[in-house]
Amino acid sequence: VSAGKILQVVQGVQTADTSITSTSLVDIPGMSQAITPTAASSKILINVNVALGWNNNYAGIQIQRDIAGGGYAAIAQGDADGSRSRGTFFFMMSEEDTVDINSITYLDSPSYSLTNAITYKLQAAITTGNTLYINRGNSDDTNDATRWRTISNIVLMEVGA
C-alpha cells in the first residue's frame, strides 16, 4: 500500500434538524460514522462539518472514537487547564438567526486490528441555559422560505501508512 494513498472513504450525513439543551456532553443525533480499515497501520482523516444555530450561547463539541466496541474516548481536544472544559471546537454566538458551518479536519492514528470497526461520533454541550440547534437557526417560528434547513456531515478517509 502506498503511503498517503486514500484507501476508502465513508460519510455520515445528518439532514434533520435537532436541538441540544444539555450542559453535559450528549451525542449529536446522526453525527456518527464507522470505518473498518483495510490495511495495517492506516491513519484516519476525519473531516467534520456541523451547521450550528443559537443565540447568546456558548457551546462545545468533542470528537469521540470507539475501536471494536471498547468504549468511546475523546480525541482531538485541547490541553487540560484548571477546570476548563476540553473539546475539539468551542463557540460563542450572540446573533439571532445565524447558522454557522463549523469545520475541522483531523488526522487520527488509532491502534487497531484489521477486522476492527472504528466509530467516530460528535458530542456537544452548552454552557449557558439556551439551546444549541443543529441544521437550523435559532428563530424558527415562521414556516417560510427564509427559514433554511441545512446539513451536517462527518467524512472518514482511510489513509495508507
Side-chain angles (χ1 to χ4, degrees), residues 8 10-11 27 29 46 61 110 127 159:
Q8 66 171 310
V10 293
Q11 173 181 237
D27 292 353
I46 306 163
I61 292 183
T127 57
V159 181

Side-chain angles (χ1 to χ4, degrees), residues 57-76:
N57 203 355
Y58 296 91
I61 292 183
Q62 221 178 54
I63 298 175
Q64 298 212 349
R65 176 188 65 208
D66 172 77
I67 300 174
Y72 281 96
I75 62 168

Side-chain angles (χ1 to χ4, degrees), residues 52-124:
L52 301 175
W54 66 98
N55 185 31
N56 292 323
N57 203 355
Y58 296 91
I61 292 183
Q62 221 178 54
I63 298 175
Q64 298 212 349
R65 176 188 65 208
D66 172 77
I67 300 174
Y72 281 96
I75 62 168
Q77 60 181 348
D79 291 342
D81 186 7
S83 61
R84 291 169 180 81
S85 298
R86 298 174 66 198
T88 307
F89 26 131
F90 172 77
F91 316 92
M92 187 279 178
M93 186 65 144
S94 61
E95 293 183 33
E96 191 170 337
D97 286 340
T98 299
V99 177
D100 288 335
I101 303 297
N102 299 277
S103 301
I104 191 165
T105 301
Y106 179 75
L107 186 62
D108 189 28
S109 300
S111 296
Y112 61 89
S113 297
L114 272 181
T115 58
N116 290 161
I118 304 170
T119 304
Y120 296 89
K121 70 177 181 179
L122 295 185
Q123 290 194 319

